[in-house]
Structures are given as structure tokens and as C-alpha cells.
Amino acid sequence: MKINFSTATFKDFENIPGMNMMERADIYYDFLEFMKNNGHRYRLQNKTGCGSVMKVGTEDTTKEFISFVTSDYLGFTQHPKVKQAAIEGIEKYGTGTAATPLIGGYYSYHRDLEAKISSFFGRTQEEAVIFTTGYTTNSATLQILLQKEDIAIIDMAVHASVYEGCILTNRKTFPHNNLEALEHILKSSENQFRTKLVVIDGVYSQDGDIAPIEEIYKLVKKYNAYLMVDDVHGVGILGKTGRGTIENTGLLNKIDIITGTFSKTFGNLGGYVITNRTLANYIRFQSRQQIFSATTPPSTATGIIKAIELIDEEPHWRTKLWENINYFKKGLDDLGLNTGTTCSAVIPVKIGDPHITGDAGKMLLDRGIYTNPIIYPAVARKDARIRMSMTATHERDHLDKTLNAFEDINKKLHIAKK
């Protein structure tokens, strides 16, 4: 089978009929070489830590870029208090757990972190379970809670980890934020499954828009279902005190399951699920990822605990972030670029054509600006975009340089809205 590299996407190589695993790997390697030779590179090496400015390169070259590729929204990966807390964790406990939580790998700092993240959301009567990644949090939780007698009803724009978590159960998707379609599925599924779980994001990772959580919650309860909200891109950014998209709905204590990650706002690694104590213990003792996988090392846990505290102790980071978001989005909109429906720190410039999007990404790199061109299958084929994450550590000069670059690129590629 011959694949046209000039029009191919990553999806085309998942399964190629008639080719064994080595043959598929060989042709995919050739595709990556084709992409690299045409100026489109993936997995560039970051040679400094997360930040608004990063040194990036290959084995042979290094260049400084203004960076929009990390979700370190408040800059906590580099915060001196978070670093010091991580150092103290190593000094007290060492570098790892050396066992799974069930059989010797559960430490006092794990319990401290679980209590800290639960109380952060005001759910002191409930419990948290922590996982080594946010991705695993969703996939593991859903796999253990939902079986062949159950159904997951998911917004089609949820994270890939949710889709993976539904492999053992029935699954129906509804068009993004479409309440009418959601109600139709809930109504038609009402007496067919023992558990009906609706799964949504708080902030959606590609468009940066927000779920209508209040309306969805009402529908879920009307049809005797449960609701799980993954708010990885909302926590620390949205809400009166940074508790995310759920905070302003008054539903923080009512959502059945809240999941999230420590790798965005909290500047570290891991994930959490918060729910009632009985369900939390069921996940804790039944999830294979809890039973057979070592968990969070001490430096990670102690660093996260300090980052959670900083949300309240230093709210000026959130203020600065929103100043940057509003300034940068207005600049893009004034250029006639399509930023969609974003109302968060995720800011896309929607272009549509995947090849023009790739060219725009390359031109930005050439101008010293590191962004993420997002194409199919991460988004629909005709919905390619440059995706950027705003941080509190971006300076006005960084934003102005990027806006000027987009203005020049638009003159050459005509990416503004028609």
C-alpha cells in the first residue's frame, strides 16, 4: 500500500492492512523523515525548563524561543517555593516509593496530597485518589467504574484519556456542548443500563471554550445519571478563587466525580480523582493502575502541595495571566484571526487547512516563536489550528513580537477569517 506523504496524517499509520508491526514502523519512519526535511519537526528538545522563553533545538543546534507550548499557566514549575518544597521532599523521603500503594508504597505525603487537593475544592468529607499522570486518572477511573452493563455518554471533544477509559463499556458521544443531543441520549438510555455516566471537560483543550456545566448537571439528574467533570485547563485559572469552571456554578460539592491533573497549573506531574469515600476506596483498591503501578515520588507530592497553597497565597499570578490572555486575544482578533470561542488560557488561531497550518507553524519557528500546529486526528480534518497556551510569565514584549509575526504571516498565507 502506497501512502502519499504530502497529504498523510499520523492517523494514516495506526493500522496499515497487510503490513506487520515492523513494516508499519519502517514506513512511518520514512514519513517522519519527510516531515523533518520539509521543516515540520516534532519532539524538539527543550534544553531549559518550562517558561515563557525556552532554549529549544536538536542534538546539534540550540535557539532561544518565545514559548507557547506548555500549560504551566501560572509559572509554578519555576516558582522558588515549589522548587524548595520538592527539594525538602527528597531530603526527607528520598527519590522514589519503590513499591505500589497497595503493598508498601503509600506514604504520609500521599495522604497529605490527597487531603490537600480534596480540601482545595471544599470537599473535606470526600476523598481523593492520586495517579501518576492525569491521563491515567481518567483512563483508570473509567475502566474500573464502567463495564459492559454500563454506558459512558461523552462530549465528542473530551480528552483522549476519556476515550481510552471507555474501552470496556458502552459509549455514546454527543456533539460538542449540544444539550439537545445530550438529553436525547440520556432519555433513550434511561432504562437500558445500570450506570449512566456523563463525562465532560470543564475547559476543552483545543478550543479553550467552557462546558455549560449547570445545564448539563440538571439534565444528568433529571435522567438519574452521574456526572464526571475533567477540569485540567480550568483549575487555577477560572473561578472566583481559582477553583475552576465548577466554582462559579455553585456545584463544587455536587458533581459526582471531579478529575484533574497536576501537570498544568500546579506545575508538576500526576492526576487526581475526587469523589465520595465509598467510590474513592473502590477505585483505590480495584484499579489495576493503583494495584500494580508505583505512584508519586516525594519531590512531586511536596512540590504539588506547595503549588496548591500558592493559588490562595499569591493570587496575583492569576491576575497577570488574565491580563496577558485579554491583551493577546484582542491583538489576534484585531488582526482578523479566528480565535474561536476560547475564554481561557488556551488560545487557538484557527486556519483550517492542515498544510497551511504547518507552514504557519514553521514560519513562527523561524521568527523565534514556538507554538503547536494541531492537525487531524487531534482535531477535525478541516479544523487545523495553531494552538497556544498563555502563561503569567509572558511579558508584553513577547506578546507584541508574536502578534507582529502573525501579522506578517497573514500577509503571506492569508489566514485571517474571510
Side-chain angles (χ1 to χ4, degrees), residues 282-413:
Y282 185 73
I283 295 167
R284 189 174 285 129
F285 286 93
Q286 289 293 320
S287 167
R288 296 176 69 84
Q289 291 85 346
Q290 284 283 315
I291 296 171
F292 298 110
S293 177
T295 190
T296 310
S299 58
T300 296
T302 53
I304 294 168
I305 289 169
K306 174 47 66 176
I308 294 171
E309 294 170 350
L310 288 173
I311 299 293
D312 293 328
E313 292 175 0
E314 300 184 2
H316 63 274
W317 294 113
R318 192 164 67 257
T319 300
K320 176 68 184 327
L321 171 63
W322 275 103
E323 289 174 356
N324 285 343
I325 292 170
N326 293 330
Y327 180 84
F328 190 59
K329 185 178 182 300
K330 182 180 185 302
L332 293 170
D333 292 340
D334 288 346
L335 291 173
L337 301 176
N338 183 3
T339 57
T341 54
T342 182
C343 41
S344 68
V346 177
I347 301 180
V349 170
K350 296 190 171 189
I351 297 173
D353 184 282
H355 301 289
I356 295 177
T357 300
D359 291 340
K362 180 179 181 299
M363 292 171 72
L364 286 165
L365 274 178
D366 291 341
R367 295 282 294 265
I369 301 163
Y370 190 13
T371 64
N372 283 316
I374 305 294
I375 60 175
Y376 179 81
V379 293
R381 290 184 184 275
K382 296 182 180 180
D383 203 21
R385 79 278 305 276
I386 300 293
R387 178 184 183 273
M388 293 168 285
S389 295
M390 188 59 53
T391 73
T393 58
H394 281 110
E395 299 296 337
R396 190 59 57 89
D397 288 348
H398 301 150
L399 306 184
D400 287 338
K401 180 178 178 179
T402 305
L403 291 171
N404 290 336
F406 270 109
E407 184 174 20
D408 291 343
I409 290 169
N410 184 41
K411 291 176 182 176
K412 296 175 182 177
L413 300 181

Side-chain angles (χ1 to χ4, degrees), residues 96-372:
T97 62
T100 69
L102 192 64
I103 51 172
Y106 185 67
Y107 291 79
S108 58
Y109 57 81
H110 291 130
R111 183 59 185 168
D112 292 344
L113 178 54
E114 290 169 345
K116 179 67 73 171
I117 193 62
S118 294
S119 63
F120 176 77
F121 288 103
R123 300 181 68 139
T124 53
Q125 301 304 309
E126 302 194 350
E127 292 193 10
V129 183
I130 57 174
F131 289 85
T132 51
T133 70
Y135 189 104
T136 303
T137 300
N138 283 339
S139 62
T141 297
L142 289 166
Q143 282 177 29
I144 194 58
L145 295 183
L146 302 179
Q147 303 295 321
K148 62 182 180 180
E149 299 91 347
D150 309 309
I151 187 170
I153 304 170
I154 64 178
D155 187 298
M156 64 185 300
V158 294
H159 193 265
S161 57
V162 172
Y163 281 91
E164 181 172 304
C166 297
I167 60 175
L168 300 178
T169 192
N170 301 284
R171 187 190 80 201
K172 288 188 178 181
T173 60
F174 59 94
H176 181 46
N177 281 345
N178 188 317
L179 297 175
E180 183 178 348
L182 170 59
E183 182 167 19
H184 175 75
I185 296 173
L186 283 166
K187 189 174 183 178
S188 63
S189 304
E190 191 168 12
N191 299 313
Q192 296 186 39
F193 303 95
R194 63 182 185 184
T195 301
K196 301 180 294 297
L197 178 63
V198 175
V199 187
I200 61 173
D201 288 357
V203 174
Y204 286 87
S205 62
Q206 295 303 332
D207 281 346
D209 61 337
I210 296 175
I213 297 176
E214 290 180 87
E215 293 86 348
I216 291 174
Y217 178 81
K218 290 176 183 177
L219 285 176
V220 165
K221 295 309 167 185
K222 177 180 178 181
Y223 292 98
N224 299 311
Y226 299 96
L227 179 60
M228 171 174 157
V229 180
D230 175 10
D231 201 21
V232 299
H233 294 283
V235 172
I237 301 157
L238 296 164
K240 184 178 179 180
T241 64
R243 267 60 179 176
T245 57
I246 309 172
E247 181 177 14
N248 292 340
T249 67
L251 297 173
L252 269 177
N253 286 314
K254 296 181 179 180
I255 301 298
D256 299 296
I257 303 171
I258 296 174
T259 65
T261 185
F262 296 122
S263 66
K264 313 296 184 189
T265 294
F266 300 120
N268 219 300
L269 181 67
Y272 54 88
V273 54
I274 301 170
T275 187
N276 66 68
R277 287 177 175 170
T278 55
L279 205 57
N281 276 292
Y282 185 73
I283 295 167
R284 189 174 285 129
F285 286 93
Q286 289 293 320
S287 167
R288 296 176 69 84
Q289 291 85 346
Q290 284 283 315
I291 296 171
F292 298 110
S293 177
T295 190
T296 310
S299 58
T300 296
T302 53
I304 294 168
I305 289 169
K306 174 47 66 176
I308 294 171
E309 294 170 350
L310 288 173
I311 299 293
D312 293 328
E313 292 175 0
E314 300 184 2
H316 63 274
W317 294 113
R318 192 164 67 257
T319 300
K320 176 68 184 327
L321 171 63
W322 275 103
E323 289 174 356
N324 285 343
I325 292 170
N326 293 330
Y327 180 84
F328 190 59
K329 185 178 182 300
K330 182 180 185 302
L332 293 170
D333 292 340
D334 288 346
L335 291 173
L337 301 176
N338 183 3
T339 57
T341 54
T342 182
C343 41
S344 68
V346 177
I347 301 180
V349 170
K350 296 190 171 189
I351 297 173
D353 184 282
H355 301 289
I356 295 177
T357 300
D359 291 340
K362 180 179 181 299
M363 292 171 72
L364 286 165
L365 274 178
D366 291 341
R367 295 282 294 265
I369 301 163
Y370 190 13
T371 64
N372 283 316

